[in-house]
Amino acid sequence: MLEFGHDVAHGTDVAKASLDALLAEHEPENSPITIGLIHEARAQVALRERDFETAREQVAKMESRYRSPGVATLIALAAPLKRAIDRVENPRVTD
């Protein structure tokens, strides 16, 4: 994931490409945590770009992956990201 941070610093297009490559690489393994983390990172990049539709799609995919092992703490990671998307999209609305 350090590479991802480096990629974001060089632009969201590079970060998206890196994350898409990671997703393609790890999708066959079907690891819910790994794939969920990649979707989470992809949602954060979309949020940075103010692409709220993609951000929400990625959060939904992340949440779906995190639900499969049934670990509540993983599932709970979606809520703060959803709130962040809502806050950025609608800054005048409070929680």
Side-chain angles (χ1 to χ4, degrees), residues 48-59:
R48 176 176 263 185
E49 291 183 311
R50 302 182 65 80
D51 180 354
F52 304 115
E53 182 179 346
T54 298
R56 283 191 178 86
E57 288 170 4
Q58 293 298 318
V59 170

Side-chain angles (χ1 to χ4, degrees), residues 9-91:
H10 286 88
T12 55
D13 288 339
V14 174
K16 287 188 295 190
S18 294
L19 289 167
D20 289 344
L22 280 171
L23 194 56
E25 177 184 341
H26 291 283
E27 193 95 65
E29 298 165 15
N30 201 25
S31 169
I33 295 171
T34 300
I35 297 170
L37 282 168
I38 297 168
H39 285 300
E40 183 177 359
R42 186 65 180 79
Q44 292 171 354
V45 171
L47 179 58
R48 176 176 263 185
E49 291 183 311
R50 302 182 65 80
D51 180 354
F52 304 115
E53 182 179 346
T54 298
R56 283 191 178 86
E57 288 170 4
Q58 293 298 318
V59 170
K61 290 177 182 180
M62 173 192 97
E63 193 170 20
S64 173
R65 290 297 183 151
Y66 285 169
R67 282 190 186 286
S68 73
V71 179
T73 53
L74 286 175
I75 298 164
L77 293 174
L81 193 47
K82 287 177 183 179
R83 284 193 302 273
I85 294 166
D86 289 341
R87 254 191 323 273
V88 173
E89 186 175 24
N90 302 299

